[in-house]
Structure formats: structure tokens, C-alpha cells
Amino acid sequence: MSARDPDGVDWAQVGSDLDAQGSAVIQGLLTPEQCRSLAALYAEPKPFRSRVVMERHGFGRGEYKYFDYPLPARVAGLRESIYPRLAPIANRWNEAMGIDARFPAQHAEFIARCHAAGQLRPTPLLLQYGPDDYNCLHQDLYGEQVFPLQLVLLLSEPGRDFTGGEFVMTEQRPRMQSRPMVLPLNQGDGAVIAVHQRPVQGTRGVYRVNLRHGVSRVCSGRRHTLGIVFHDAT
């Protein structure tokens, strides 16, 4: 089984799904072998710059590690190959929401902009959950420079490696109650999600809605996730 080439993804459908609900699932971005290899990195100290125990900070339960530069080849490759497909969507969203920022076609150019703004620390991360662990609803904002989309890849197989632990999102529209969403992911699937806001067409024009994401309680087993955030951190 081979990983899915980004050139073979229907990016027009990804854009439509993001416009409709702030998320889009891409099946089979990684093979099971690639998933296991990435998950195994969690036990190694070398690829990472820091470790966060969620419970200490009120983020939930479980832990995660931020990769350091230079990023592992597969992590860097995903960041560099997926970004150019998302930049046109990000630019369209910002235009619709009246946000001035526009994003260059290549990721290296955007990272140079982040570094010029003092955002020097890489943000791709590996998350590990065990029984009763969960991730509170949150947004991955790390500085003034923010790319409005990110990629989440499930490295473990639901029902075999773990139970529970669904990837969840909420959407808060003005003067309305939050809308919950559960994204069904299998091992190797990726979810492109809104980092913070997305535009919605209303009867009086476009307005912004806020989105958050998290992980429900893991009932059993161990769950690993790779997060690809396209902006760096201060």
C-alpha cells in the first residue's frame, strides 16, 4: 500500500468541504508503515525541542512534543507539499473576511515571513494519548503570523490501537449555540481544519465564525497524532 500523492488529491473538493464546514478529510495520506515509523519517534529525544504534559497546563490529559529544526524528512515534506495547495484557499478566506494578509505560493517564503516577525520555533508536533487522556478544545495560534489552515494526521488505528479518542471540532456562530462536529479518521488519514476562523455567507454578507478542535476521552489503548501547523511560534 502506497501513500497518497498530494497531486492525486481532489483539492477542489477539499476547498468545498472547508468552505462548507471548516474541515476536510483526506484519506490515506500516509501508509500504516509510515504511521508506525512516525509514532515510534515519540520515544526518541533527538527530533524534538520541547515536551508538554497537558494536565500541568489545563490543556487536558496526555502529552505532546514539538519537533525541532531540522524537521524529520517526512514531516518537512508534508509541510512543504500540502501548503501550496492550501495557500489559495487561505487567501480566498482572508479576502472574504476582510483580512489584509495574503500568503505566498511556497511555504519557505511564508516561513521567512514568520522568522522576520520573531516566530522562529517550529510548530509541527507529535501527540500521545493513553487511557482517560483527552485534549481540550483549543486553537493553535502562536504569534502574529497565522496561516488559517492546518493538517492533522492520525497515526494509530481506531478499534485496534485505541478506542474512544474521536477528533472533534466546534463552531461558534454569532448569537448561536456552538455546533459540534466529529471527524471520522482512520490510520493514515489527514484532516485539514480551520485554525481559528472561517468565512460564512449570510443574508447580510460574509461574517466570521470561530472554530476550535480537540480529542475526546481515549477509553483504551494508545493514540498518536501528527499535527502540521504551517506557521512557526514566537
Side-chain angles (χ1 to χ4, degrees):
M1 181 180 179
S2 60
R4 190 168 187 180
D5 189 327
D7 288 336
V9 174
D10 186 346
W11 292 104
Q13 184 62 55
V14 169
S16 295
D17 290 346
L18 285 165
D19 288 343
Q21 56 201 22
S23 65
V25 174
I26 304 173
Q27 296 179 336
L29 274 178
L30 296 173
T31 66
E33 182 179 355
Q34 290 168 345
C35 289
R36 289 189 290 270
S37 177
L38 285 165
L41 290 176
Y42 201 87
E44 304 295 328
K46 186 177 180 180
F48 303 100
R49 63 174 175 84
S50 65
R51 171 176 171 263
V52 176
V53 178
M54 295 188 209
E55 194 168 12
R56 294 177 185 169
H57 305 278
F59 297 163
R61 281 190 53 176
E63 58 184 57
Y64 54 87
K65 294 181 178 181
Y66 286 107
F67 287 101
D68 202 356
Y69 282 129
L71 298 174
R74 193 166 305 282
V75 176
L78 284 165
R79 213 181 188 204
E80 293 164 7
S81 64
I82 299 299
Y83 171 92
R85 275 79 175 190
L86 300 180
I89 302 170
N91 285 330
R92 177 165 53 79
W93 276 18
N94 274 12
E95 182 177 5
M97 291 187 291
I99 299 172
D100 292 336
R102 298 293 182 270
F103 302 98
Q106 299 303 317
H107 188 249
E109 297 176 60
F110 177 59
I111 285 297
R113 184 187 299 177
C114 289
H115 290 185
Q119 296 176 213
L120 303 174
R121 297 186 298 165
T123 49
L125 68 163
L126 200 57
L127 302 99
Q128 178 174 274
Y129 304 87
D132 293 325
D133 289 349
Y134 63 94
N135 197 345
C136 294
L137 294 168
H138 66 281
Q139 298 169 326
D140 293 310
L141 303 171
Y142 295 103
E144 181 182 347
Q145 298 294 324
V146 176
F147 190 75
L149 298 163
Q150 67 190 74
L151 177 66
V152 178
L153 297 115
L154 182 60
L155 304 180
S156 307
E157 180 60 31
R160 183 194 67 196
D161 299 327
F162 70 96
T163 61
E166 295 88 356
F167 186 82
V168 298
M169 296 181 67
T170 61
E171 180 180 83
Q172 178 62 60
R173 301 190 182 194
R175 298 175 298 280
M176 297 175 65
Q177 292 184 330
S178 295
R179 179 169 72 105
M181 297 170 281
V182 176
L183 275 61
L185 298 174
N186 293 312
Q187 186 180 45
D189 290 351
V192 180
I193 64 171
V195 170
H196 179 208
Q197 298 175 321
R198 74 177 182 92
V200 172
Q201 180 66 51
T203 56
R204 299 181 180 179
V206 174
Y207 61 94
R208 305 179 191 183
V209 299
N210 288 309
L211 295 104
R212 298 179 183 274
H213 64 276
V215 173
S216 70
R217 185 178 69 89
V218 172
C219 298
S220 65
R222 180 165 288 182
R223 181 190 193 276
H224 286 97
T225 308
L226 172 64
I228 303 289
V229 179
F230 295 99
H231 46 271
D232 276 356
T234 54

